[in-house]
């Protein structure tokens, strides 16, 4: 805390003291706070979100210390803790920003420097907005023309499998849709309380949401020895064990995976759908990284496409909610908070309740809806912006593929670090060997061993990673998650610093 902050804090404390003294003088008993740590919602205290946890908070403090001239053994903090592409230097897609600029300031529609396909997209979006302004509320389910474009995109992506715009809900990023579906699912008490199956390692949104809602988290473990694959036998084990203390109702899949970067095979997706059908589970398919597939022989298959290709026995019965976002893939537009959710085979009465629930938050951000429209209705062959759009998209995805390979190669040269191929998404989740003495010191400090490791890494090198314990991992194993998003040269610097640190750390504690 700076000098000014300390002064303000001291003044506030002084004023509180004077107020309490005056109340005592007047015979009024001092009142405690209505909202205290003991009287607040207990489920909120159970929420943890590792990607913005203590490591990141300390990284922010270190950045401030560097600005104030505090000497460190490094010149900058390199944050590889979160999938925020633009913060890491990825450039936005020109066409997207042109249309958003036109929508935000329609006077630019008269500017000849903007291409006609950008202007036509902007006019169509504005015509669908109240008062022809992005500053107006939209329908709670989302702007009609955007939902129609999303439906057309899904049909193209899935080889003609029909998509009804009425099954599309535009959301504030994918997280909003996921949270909304979980709210619908959670009910019951004790042994009848809703249980939700999530992969371990997992994206902490799921564990945080389940904790907040008071649902039961059912862990199933991905197989690290087989490139983080999903085994049906492990799903069955987790389900059977959970039925003793809750009612399992949903199965969540992240494909491509976060934090593990695996891409599920078509056969695996078929097996998961059969499992969900047999065990009467609703499927939640988190598919926000669907364009981020790098490994040779890997391909993204949407759960919906596979579901319908398996025939009416499954396509008419299995309940599915799938999610997409503007924040990942080649777009990386995290701050606009655009996304969508598609629901399949939902009970009509529940669907009415879903529509009511989303109406409470009025509507998703309209600029995010507009951006989602551009993602699903991008420039086509023959339009003025097509060539540049393809050039920028291809360059972004190719750079991510190169960095995925680079990350795997360098980390696997380090004794004590083992990194599976980054088949997709934006992250690596390598296992690390931590010496016994370091584990003991971490235990004495009340820290998980990989938290201890990552905190020392930050303090000594300025590298900000997230410990694997924040995502879940098998007992006795340790990991960290890092993004592959930094520019190539900065990524090389990061990886080489990790390599040097790990070698020194191992020597120090051996």
């Amino acid at each position: 805390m700076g000098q000014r902050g300390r002064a303000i804090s001291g003044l506030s404390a002084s004023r509180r003291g004077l107020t309490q003294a005056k109340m005592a003088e007047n015979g009024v008993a001092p009142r405690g706070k209505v909202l205290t740590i003991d009287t607040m919602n207990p489920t909120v205290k159970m929420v943890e979100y590792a990607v913005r946890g203590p490591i990141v908070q300390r990284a922010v403090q270190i950045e401030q210390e560097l600005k104030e001239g505090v000497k460190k053994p490094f010149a900058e903090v390199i944050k590889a803790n979160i999938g925020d592409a633009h913060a890491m230097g990825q450039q936005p897609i020109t066409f997207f920003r042109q249309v958003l600029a036109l929508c935000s300031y329609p006077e630019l529609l008269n500017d000849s420097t903007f291409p006609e396909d950008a202007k036509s997209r902007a006019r169509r979006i504005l015509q669908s907005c109240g008062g022809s302004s992005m500053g107006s509320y939209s329908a709670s389910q989302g702007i009609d023309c955007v939902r129609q474009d999303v439906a057309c995109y899904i049909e193209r992506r899935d080889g003609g499998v029909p998509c009804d715009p009425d099954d599309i809900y535009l959301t504030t990023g994918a997280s909003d849709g996921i949270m909304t579906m979980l709210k619908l699912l959670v009910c019951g008490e004790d042994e009848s309380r809703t249980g939700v199956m999530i992969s371990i390692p997992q994206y902490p949104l799921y564990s945080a949401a389940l904790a907040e809602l008071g649902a039961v988290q059912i862990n199933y473990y991905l197989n690290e020895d087989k490139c983080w694959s999903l085994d049906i036998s492990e799903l069955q084990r987790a389900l059977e064990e959970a039925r003793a203390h809750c009612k399992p109702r949903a199965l969540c899949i992240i494909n491509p995976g976060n934090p593990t970067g695996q891409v599920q095979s078509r056969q695996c997706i078929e097996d998961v759908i059969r499992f969900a059908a047999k065990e009467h589970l609703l499927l939640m398919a988190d598919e926000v990284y669907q364009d981020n597939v790098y490994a040779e022989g890997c391909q993204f298959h949407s759960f919906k496409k596979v579901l319908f290709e398996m025939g009416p026995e499954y396509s008419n019965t299995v309940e599915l909610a799938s999610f997409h976002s503007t924040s990942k893939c080649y777009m990386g537009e995290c701050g606009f908070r655009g996304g969508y959710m598609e629901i399949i085979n939902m009970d009509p009465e529940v669907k009415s309740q879903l529509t009511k629930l989303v109406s409470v938050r009025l509507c998703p951000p309209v600029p995010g809806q507009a951006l989602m429209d551009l993602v699903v209705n991008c420039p086509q062959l023959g339009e003025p912006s097509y060539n540049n759009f393809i050039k920028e998209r291809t360059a972004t995805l190719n750079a991510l593929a190169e960095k995925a390979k680079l990350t795997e190669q360098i980390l696997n040269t380090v004794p004590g670090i083992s990194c599976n191929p980054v088949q997709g998404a934006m992250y690596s989740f390598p296992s690390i060997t931590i010496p016994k003495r370091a584990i003991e010191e971490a235990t004495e400090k009340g820290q998980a061993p990989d938290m201890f490791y990552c905190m020392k890494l930050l303090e000594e090198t300025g590298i900000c990673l997230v410990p694997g314990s924040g995502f879940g991992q098998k007992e006795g194993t340790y990991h960290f998650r890092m993004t592959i998003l930094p520019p190539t040269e900065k990524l090389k610097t990061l990886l080489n610093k990790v390599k040097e640190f790990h070698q020194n750390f191992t020597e120090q504690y051996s």
Side-chain angles (χ1 to χ4, degrees):
M1 186 184 293
Q3 187 174 350
R4 183 170 178 272
R6 285 191 292 271
I8 291 170
S9 176
L11 184 61
S12 299
S14 173
R15 284 174 177 164
R16 285 196 300 272
L18 285 170
T19 303
Q20 289 173 358
K22 196 164 186 178
M23 289 171 71
E25 261 180 44
N26 296 332
V28 179
R31 288 191 314 173
K33 298 287 186 185
V34 172
L35 186 61
T36 70
I37 198 69
D38 295 321
T39 62
M40 68 177 287
N41 184 339
T43 63
V44 174
K45 291 187 280 186
M46 301 291 289
V47 171
E48 293 184 1
Y49 192 62
V51 295
R52 290 181 183 264
I55 292 275
V56 184
Q57 292 163 16
R58 177 59 186 142
V60 171
Q61 291 173 351
I62 291 173
E63 284 182 318
Q64 185 58 38
E65 290 169 9
L66 287 169
K67 287 178 184 175
E68 293 172 355
V70 177
K71 297 297 181 186
K72 301 281 182 184
F74 47 86
E76 66 171 335
V77 172
I78 302 178
K79 292 180 181 174
N81 61 291
I82 195 167
D84 190 351
H86 290 191
M88 289 285 98
Q90 181 177 307
Q91 294 303 299
I93 298 295
T94 301
F95 180 77
F96 294 168
R97 290 302 181 89
Q98 286 175 329
V99 179
L100 291 171
L102 292 164
C103 289
S104 298
Y105 188 54
E107 289 293 318
L108 293 174
L109 288 165
N110 299 317
D111 189 328
S112 60
T113 59
F114 286 84
E116 282 305 314
D117 52 349
K119 289 181 179 180
S120 66
R121 299 291 199 292
R123 289 190 189 99
R124 182 167 177 266
I125 292 167
L126 288 172
Q127 286 165 7
S128 299
C129 294
S132 295
S133 170
M134 277 208 307
S136 60
Y137 289 128
S138 75
S140 296
Q141 198 169 336
I143 298 170
D144 285 345
C145 77
V146 178
R147 290 191 294 114
Q148 290 164 14
D149 287 346
V150 169
C152 290
Y153 161 81
I154 291 172
E155 286 189 7
R156 290 194 308 272
R157 182 197 68 186
D158 293 345
V161 175
C163 180
D164 184 347
D166 196 46
D167 291 337
I168 303 298
Y169 288 76
L170 300 183
T171 56
T172 307
S175 304
D176 173 45
I178 291 164
M179 191 71 180
T180 299
M181 280 305 303
L182 291 174
K183 284 179 182 177
L184 288 179
L185 278 161
V186 175
C187 68
E189 298 294 336
D190 302 322
E191 285 81 11
S192 67
R193 190 67 172 162
T194 292
V196 178
M197 302 182 72
I198 67 171
S199 61
I200 299 295
Q202 53 104 18
Y203 177 49
L205 162 69
Y206 290 91
S207 56
L210 295 175
E212 182 181 345
L213 295 169
V216 178
Q217 177 178 318
I218 304 170
N219 296 338
Y220 66 89
Y221 289 87
L222 301 177
N223 189 335
E224 184 171 9
D225 294 335
K226 294 182 179 178
C227 207
W228 298 111
S229 64
L230 192 163
D231 296 331
I232 298 301
S233 60
E234 171 60 13
L235 289 180
Q236 196 69 56
R237 177 206 63 78
L239 184 75
E240 288 171 4
E241 288 183 9
R243 279 181 170 149
H245 59 270
C246 69
K247 183 174 178 56
R249 302 183 69 209
L251 168 59
C252 300
I253 308 285
I254 308 175
N255 180 47
N258 175 11
T260 45
Q262 85 286 3
V263 178
Q264 301 293 355
S265 68
R266 183 194 167 86
Q267 183 61 55
C268 176
I269 293 171
E270 285 189 21
D271 292 343
V272 168
I273 290 170
R274 289 190 186 94
F275 176 82
K278 177 171 71 82
E279 302 297 347
H280 200 53
L281 297 169
L282 182 146
L283 275 173
M284 295 177 62
D286 183 338
E287 299 176 333
V288 302
Y289 299 98
Q290 58 190 258
D291 291 324
N292 298 113
V293 177
Y294 318 121
E296 194 173 330
C298 288
Q299 181 182 348
F300 171 74
H301 301 277
S302 79
F303 265 79
K304 182 189 177 183
K305 182 174 189 283
V306 176
L307 174 66
F308 276 77
E309 289 177 347
M310 290 172 68
E313 177 188 355
Y314 298 99
S315 62
N316 290 343
T317 57
V318 174
E319 295 157 82
L320 170 68
S322 57
F323 309 91
H324 195 18
S325 167
T326 62
S327 301
K328 310 302 177 184
C329 298
Y330 63 92
M331 302 84 72
E333 296 277 14
C334 303
F336 280 97
R337 309 308 299 133
Y340 72 73
M341 166 175 68
E342 182 185 18
I343 54 167
I344 304 295
N345 293 324
M346 180 175 276
D347 183 295
E349 290 184 334
V350 175
K351 190 175 179 182
S352 296
Q353 294 296 316
L354 168 60
T355 303
K356 178 187 74 175
L357 182 60
V358 300
S359 71
V360 173
R361 53 102 159 108
L362 297 176
C363 69
V366 173
Q369 294 185 55
L371 180 59
M372 190 77 252
D373 187 66
L374 302 175
V375 171
V376 299
N377 185 22
C378 57
Q380 299 301 303
L381 183 64
E383 292 188 302
S385 301
Y386 176 77
N387 288 339
N388 191 57
F389 170 77
I390 292 298
K391 179 183 174 184
E392 291 179 345
R393 183 178 70 177
T394 302
T396 298
L397 292 174
N398 285 348
L400 287 169
E402 289 171 10
K403 289 187 282 189
K405 194 169 185 179
L406 177 72
T407 300
E408 176 198 350
Q409 288 174 340
I410 293 180
L411 289 178
N412 280 329
T413 66
V414 186
I417 296 182
S418 177
C419 181
N420 270 317
V422 182
Q423 296 177 336
M426 297 177 169
Y427 315 97
S428 170
F429 197 72
S431 68
I432 52 176
T433 301
I434 298 181
K436 184 180 177 183
R437 279 185 53 227
I439 294 172
E440 290 169 351
E441 187 171 328
T443 304
E444 288 171 10
K445 292 177 179 288
Q447 292 180 340
D450 46 15
M451 169 65 86
F452 175 75
Y453 177 97
C454 287
M455 193 64 85
K456 284 187 74 69
L457 174 70
L458 174 63
E459 296 286 355
E460 295 179 19
T461 70
I463 303 298
C464 179
L465 308 180
V466 189
S469 49
F471 301 87
Q473 55 197 352
K474 280 192 173 180
E475 188 77 25
T477 68
Y478 307 106
H479 302 78
F480 60 73
R481 188 192 81 162
M482 60 166 283
T483 73
I484 60 170
L485 292 173
T488 301
E489 290 308 310
K490 187 168 282 192
L491 181 63
K492 287 179 181 176
T493 299
L494 184 157
L495 291 167
N496 285 322
K497 280 190 172 187
V498 169
K499 180 177 181 177
E500 183 181 356
F501 168 83
H502 188 83
Q503 290 168 339
N504 294 338
F505 181 87
T506 301
E507 287 174 12
Q508 179 184 352
Y509 286 100
S510 293

